[in-house]
DNA sequence: GATGAATGAGTCTTCATTCAT
DNA sequence: AATGAATGAAGACTCATTCAT
């Protein structure tokens, strides 16, 4: 076969990555065998290995791809300059939407990725970087909130960003493990905590 | 040979469980081999298998034990009837304290457990139950806050509980993956979000 | 099973090593699969791997063992203080005797080992050391020959040793590849070369 | 497409063979992959396979080619009608010269070929034939030495040939594995063995 | 009760070879 | 003729679990 076009190469990569995710979500990162992925991708072992040179490589690529998709989902939301509870509502709703698809649940992916990051230096660095950037973006929003008078002038934009990020990450866990949480719950809960007199 | 005393049996179980956790934290649940645990426990393969009849059993026992320890840590805090930001501060600080020990980091354990719960029905049920109970306890606190006028009368205690639980779970993730968050940050952030005018 | 005795352990090792040699001689070092060896040894994969932690380890052990056996064969010969052509005759005859056994042909083993030594640093060092020691021993014999007047006083014991070692190593090759050479041929040839007038 | 000229075909064959040798010497016959050779040759997989229909074919062709080159090197030496020690000196020096080139070391090639010949019938036959012819040529020289009075009249030309061939083959081994041998050493050693009184 | 050697199914990965384009 | 992507059988090695002693 003659040289394959870049387009086709990328399509094949995506095809393998998708097959990998289907398996990873069903079985977890380690319990998924390369044979599972190979079968799910419809290709041969050799073909899969010509695109990803090891299972580890495939895991990293899969997680990284998810992170990239997640970024594409979140950035437009932040750009709309929402209020804190609106931000939570929109982000959580967006993640939940992704979760609804049966083949691609961002929450499960996140949980697997976090676990793997503990023993995979490279993966940990990639994830850390991603969340750090996201936190910075929330911090920028918090600074705007201060200017707009939504937050007090003396508030720490950094602490607010850490708090909101925790809320979002915690939603992922709570929704995957406990269930029965949605965007309205968290946005509402946050609003009520804020509305209380202190 | 004479039967071993119950006391001794429990001590052995604890010894194995501790060895398992040391390994699990270092290598992850799946990358840890039974031999790793056997060596770390100082016992023989047969001995370990006489206490836990499979690796899966051991994983479940290990996670359950952690959860029990965590409960012992959290319940006294709730009993003190703290305000929302105090609750967050105390819980997060408690988890962080546990994290400081090099052999036993609750955060890492949690991350591994959540990941495993995806494919392990039994583990998921155990964890779900635990978090559900904890959420109920927070909800009870929220109801008290309403009575005390800390929250508005119409506030949903359930939503507030979900929100605070998210905050706590999210701390675990953020602190394990991104780092650079502590109890003061989150308690402060929450206070500032609450203090803003709306 | 309780701890195995050292004696038994060594017997098992020898059993595996022997199985390995039978396969290596039939198929060559690389074409022999671990499964071949495992089947030939009558043990399980795990058992074989508990004695030798990789195929490479097994190859090195096998070659080293052969070298040790060879040493046991050659040293007594040198101790008898033979004349040059007697030395050649005895060494070559000894190697040939070993070659006659169907399961263990030192010549084939040597050829495989030399080939492997090209790309295996550790093996090369082991072999080099062995042949170097043997050459030194021949050199010592040559020095005795000078004292006894068999060689001229000005002769280089070192060069004589190199020459005789070449003769022996070359016999191994010639006999394995071309065939039709034996101890009498070489001892005779050497005598005739020496007997010619110059 | 137009047929390729014979000249070009032969050049291509030579190009592939040379690439193969470079790889074989670096990695050994079995550890070298077809991809290694394909890459080193600068051609495509299909192209290489159109010249040699299997790896085995390539191995045989490579060894045979080396043998042919070796013959071209040795025949002129024998034609000069040297004395025994001169013959050894010249042959060994010639092989050593070839060995000095970094891409083409006849000694390493020989060692690999001998090893492979053990399990490759066809290769063994080719090599056997080659060495047999060479031995015959030495035998012819020995017959001339008898006529010239260099050897005694009753000497066995056959045994002398076997002895000298062993010396040469042994040089190859000794120089590849132990090192520190050259033409002068062996020619000198042989002369000293001959000069001793018996 | 305890031991740890042994098992063997299952994993990841490679690589000689083919054949659609 | 030439290309190089794809194939898939086979190889080295691991590891949860058992059971003879």
């Amino acid at each position: 076969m003659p040289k394959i076009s870049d387009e086709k190469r990328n399509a094949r990569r995506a095809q393998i990555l998708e097959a990998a995710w289907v398996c990873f979500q069903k079985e977890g990162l380690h319990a998924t065998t390369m044979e599972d992925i190979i079968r799910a991708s419809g290709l041969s072992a050799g073909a899969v290995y010509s695109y990803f040179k090891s299972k580890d490589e495939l895991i990293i690529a899969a997680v990284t791809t998810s992170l990239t998709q997640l970024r594409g989902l979140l950035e437009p939301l932040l750009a709309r300059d929402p209020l804190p509870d609106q931000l939570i509502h929109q982000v959580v709703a967006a993640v939940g939407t992704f979760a609804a698809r049966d083949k691609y649940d961002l929450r499960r992916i996140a949980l697997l990725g976090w676990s793997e990051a503990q023993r995979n230096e490279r993966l940990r660095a990639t994830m850390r970087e991603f969340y750090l950037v996201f936190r910075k973006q929330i911090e920028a929003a918090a600074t705007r909130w201060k200017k707009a008078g939504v937050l007090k002038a003396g508030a720490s934009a950094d602490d607010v960003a850490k708090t909101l990020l925790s809320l979002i990450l915690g939603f992922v866990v709570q929704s995957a493990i406990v269930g029965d949480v949605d965007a309205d719950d968290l946005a509402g809960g946050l609003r009520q905590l804020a509305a209380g007199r202190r």
Side-chain angles (χ1 to χ4, degrees), chain A residues 73-83 86-87 90-91 94 141 144-145:
Chain A
L73 206 65
L74 300 180
E75 263 168 10
L77 302 183
L78 280 159
R80 288 190 224 150
D81 202 4
L83 291 175
Q86 288 171 340
L87 175 65
Q90 286 167 16
V91 168
R144 276 180 262 130
W145 293 331

Side-chain angles (χ1 to χ4, degrees), chain A residues 2 5 23 42 62 70 85 95-96 103 108-109 111 115 139 156 180 183:
Chain A
S5 69
C23 299
L70 187 55
D85 64 300
V95 171
K103 297 212 300 191
R108 291 171 142 253
I109 290 169
L111 257 47
S115 179
E139 199 182 323
S156 157
D180 187 31

Side-chain angles (χ1 to χ4, degrees), chain A residues 162-188:
Chain A
K162 287 172 180 172
T163 306
L164 292 176
L165 179 56
S166 273
L167 213 45
I168 293 164
L169 296 174
F171 162 76
V172 170
V173 179
Q174 189 173 177
S175 116
I177 303 290
V178 187
D180 187 31
V181 226
D182 63 21
D184 289 336
D185 299 341
L186 292 199

